[in-house]
Structures are given as C-alpha cells and as structure tokens.
Amino acid sequence: MTPSPSPLSSWVPAALAFIAGYADAVTFVGAGGIFCAHVTGNFVVLAADLARNANADEWLKLSTFPIFVLAVFCATHLHRRRAEGSARLLLLLQAVAFGAAAAVPVFVQGTAAHKVVVVFAVIAMGIQNAMHRVSPSLGPMTTVMTGNVTQWFVEKVIPVAPEHTGRHRSLGFIILAFALGCLGGAFGVQHLGFASFLAPVALALWVRSRL
C-alpha cells in the first residue's frame, strides 16, 4: 500500500504552487497583463490587445515564449549534467532570478523596468516548470492549475482508492495554495511594487532547504 504523503511532501508542492500563483499575479497586475508562469496565456492577452487596438508592448508578450523555452532548455541541460541535487541548484537559480526581478526598479526606471522584470520572472518560472518534469518527486505541476482542478473534481465524483486519498488531499492543498498566491501577488505588487518578488525568493530558498 502506498503511504499517504508526509507533511513535508505536502508543504513543498504547496509552496511551489503559491510561488507560481504569486509570480503570475505580480506580472499580470504590475506589468500590463503579462503572465510569467502560464506564458501561453500571453497569446490570449496579445490577441485581445490586437482586437481592441490597444497600445501595448506587444513584442514583450510574444518574447515571453522564447525566453521561457530558453529557461526550460537551460534548466533541463543543467539537470542532465548534474542529476544528483539538480532540484536544489535549480531552486537556487530561481531564487536568484526572482531576486534580480525585485532589484530591477533600483537600477532601471520607467516602463523599461517592467520589461526587465518580466524577463527575470519568466526565467524563474521556466526553471520551475522544468523542475517538475526532471524531478517528479516535487509532486504534480504547480504552475498551471487547469489539470489539477479537473483531476481533483473528477476524483470527488469518482473517489480514489483509499491508498490515494493522501495524494487527493495534497492536490486540493496545492490548488488552494495557488489561489492564495494569486491574492498575495496581486496585493503585494499593488502596495510594494516589484519588491514583492522577495516573497518567492524566500519561499524558493525554503523549499530548497527541505530537499
């Protein structure tokens, strides 16, 4: 029988889900409606802007995809070269990227700051997306909740086997953490600006310390 997830295994993916929701909300609210975790959503935002003839930095929305892909590629390459402990290394790099995003307004002013912040945030979330693929022990994907929400509700209608109830409970915890992260990021950027990215820095380092 598969044991239920330990408290540690539940808190780690929940922390990552909070980071994803938080980062997405910060860039969406603070950088003109740009997603840094769910980058494919930027295609929808771009299409809406074009349809409404909105004056926006359309190239930035488009550029998030290649930046994201490059971050995933580099993170996967690092894992391939250093499989042992790669998740700890990638979490450190993610924390550095978030820290750089928080520091950008100190050195860059105006709309240019928003663009540079988005680049660092997309890199950070590209790393997190790759981590889930190369380190399955981190749990289910925490960057996009559509699949997790679907699975959770399906399992409410068709109950899982008793040995999987812990996983089902953990999945609900992840969804809740993502939603709370969205709230935290939205209010954080409203009141603290991009310095609010210091919160995911701390969380990424905490997750690293638990691995």
Side-chain angles (χ1 to χ4, degrees), residues 53-132:
N53 296 315
N55 293 320
D57 293 324
E58 311 301 351
W59 70 267
L60 184 58
K61 294 184 177 68
L62 287 174
S63 69
T64 58
F65 189 73
I67 293 169
F68 181 87
V69 169
L70 181 61
V72 170
F73 177 83
C74 291
T76 306
H77 186 67
L78 282 173
H79 168 78
R80 187 178 181 183
R81 294 189 61 179
R82 183 182 169 180
E84 184 68 27
S86 66
R88 286 175 54 82
L89 173 61
L90 293 176
L91 282 162
L92 178 61
L93 293 176
Q94 183 186 40
V96 169
F98 277 133
V104 164
V106 177
F107 304 99
V108 183
Q109 303 300 318
T111 57
H114 292 185
K115 298 170 185 175
V116 181
V117 165
V118 168
V119 169
F120 281 119
V122 170
I123 289 171
M125 294 314 303
I127 291 171
Q128 183 165 322
N129 272 275
M131 276 194 299
H132 280 290

Side-chain angles (χ1 to χ4, degrees), residues 24 48 92 123 146 148 151 167 188:
D24 245 359
L92 178 61
I123 289 171
T146 306
N148 291 340
Q151 182 177 344
R167 177 185 56 77

